[in-house]
Amino acid sequence: MSSSGPRTLAAPPRSSWRDRRLHPDHARGLRLTLAVGAAFLVVVPFTLLAVLVLGDWPPLHRMDTGVTGALAGHAADHPGWVRLMTTWTDVFAPMPLRLGALVLVLWLVRRGARQLAVWVAVTMAAGGLLSPLLKLLFGRPRPDLPDPVAEAPGLAFPSGHSLNAALAAGVLLVVFLPHAGPVARRMVWTAALLLALVTGFSRVALGVHWTSDVLAGWLLGTAVVAATAAAFTVWRAAPPGRPAPPPSPGPTGSTSG
């Protein structure tokens, strides 16, 4: 009787990290957790900033008056700079951004992305309503400069321009970033950052907002985008309606018409 050598078991194939995929439910839960966590982490510094503004914290007060005074002084000596900042702040004011969001909503509806269109509309509307309500709550006056180069009505905290610009930047990232290639991704990121940062900066440069007003607008806008994105994730994860039962087979086994 012939003897056979020791049998060796084939090693299971190694799976690289590229082969590992999260279950759709797990991936959705991870996105939801990250969105909720991001909203919470942004709300905390906004709340802290609001408390410092209400308490007229001296270091914050010195920063606000110093930065706004320096930029307003520069603007008073450079009319071309004032025209540039005024043009930017008018083009990317809350109302033009809302009109642009409406065009985006209609475009998404035509492409069949109705849930995403609803998210864009809710995000812009919810964030836009927060600014006037919080301004009434905090009642912070705008800078009163001796030689102003621009004027703006209403109260200061938080900056409505900065808030709506942050909302629009978040919408750009959420809508276009997942489907963009490497070059387009850089373009989307650049457009979003310029929209938010330059719009907020223009409000301080024109002397119509304190620096902390703009920071609060950015923080609040980011929190709204994160919170509505979390709600959108839950909505998409909701089970659809119960499907209709399949037609019963006819006498010959075929479906009846």
Side-chain angles (χ1 to χ4, degrees), residues 110-191:
R110 291 196 56 165
R111 291 178 61 90
R114 288 180 172 82
Q115 286 185 329
L116 191 56
V118 172
W119 174 80
V120 173
V122 170
T123 299
M124 294 299 295
L129 289 174
L130 280 177
S131 176
L133 292 176
L134 290 175
K135 284 183 177 181
L136 290 175
L137 176 64
F138 290 101
R140 189 187 200 187
R142 292 181 183 271
D144 186 13
L145 303 176
D147 188 18
V149 298
E151 294 182 356
L155 299 169
F157 187 89
S159 166
H161 278 67
S162 303
L163 170 58
N164 283 273
L167 294 174
V171 166
L172 283 178
L173 294 176
V174 171
V175 173
F176 294 106
L177 206 58
H179 310 288
V183 176
R185 289 175 69 88
R186 288 192 290 269
M187 294 175 61
V188 172
W189 271 109
T190 301

Side-chain angles (χ1 to χ4, degrees), residues 67-76 78 81-82 84-86 89 145 148-150 198-211 214:
V67 173
T68 299
L71 290 177
H74 175 81
H78 298 83
W81 174 252
V82 174
L84 175 62
M85 290 291 98
T86 302
T89 202
L145 303 176
V149 298
V198 179
T199 301
F201 174 78
S202 70
R203 305 305 286 165
V204 184
L206 293 173
V208 295
H209 270 294
W210 307 109
T211 303
V214 171

Side-chain angles (χ1 to χ4, degrees), residues 10-149:
R14 296 180 179 179
S15 60
S16 66
W17 64 270
R18 293 186 179 86
D19 299 328
R20 298 175 182 176
R21 297 290 186 269
L22 287 175
H23 187 275
D25 291 339
H26 295 163
R28 192 179 298 114
L30 178 61
R31 290 195 300 269
L32 174 61
T33 302
L34 291 176
V36 173
F40 176 77
L41 291 177
V42 177
V43 167
V44 170
F46 170 80
T47 304
L48 176 61
L49 182 60
V51 170
L52 296 178
V53 167
L54 285 176
D56 200 16
W57 191 45
L60 181 64
H61 178 75
R62 288 195 295 268
M63 182 199 71
D64 279 337
T65 55
V67 173
T68 299
L71 290 177
H74 175 81
D77 297 331
H78 298 83
W81 174 252
V82 174
R83 287 193 295 270
L84 175 62
M85 290 291 98
T86 302
T87 300
W88 184 283
T89 202
D90 290 341
V91 170
F92 297 103
M95 190 54 65
L97 291 179
R98 290 167 191 156
L99 292 176
L102 177 59
V103 174
L104 178 61
V105 166
L106 296 177
W107 179 75
L108 289 171
V109 169
R110 291 196 56 165
R111 291 178 61 90
R114 288 180 172 82
Q115 286 185 329
L116 191 56
V118 172
W119 174 80
V120 173
V122 170
T123 299
M124 294 299 295
L129 289 174
L130 280 177
S131 176
L133 292 176
L134 290 175
K135 284 183 177 181
L136 290 175
L137 176 64
F138 290 101
R140 189 187 200 187
R142 292 181 183 271
D144 186 13
L145 303 176
D147 188 18
V149 298

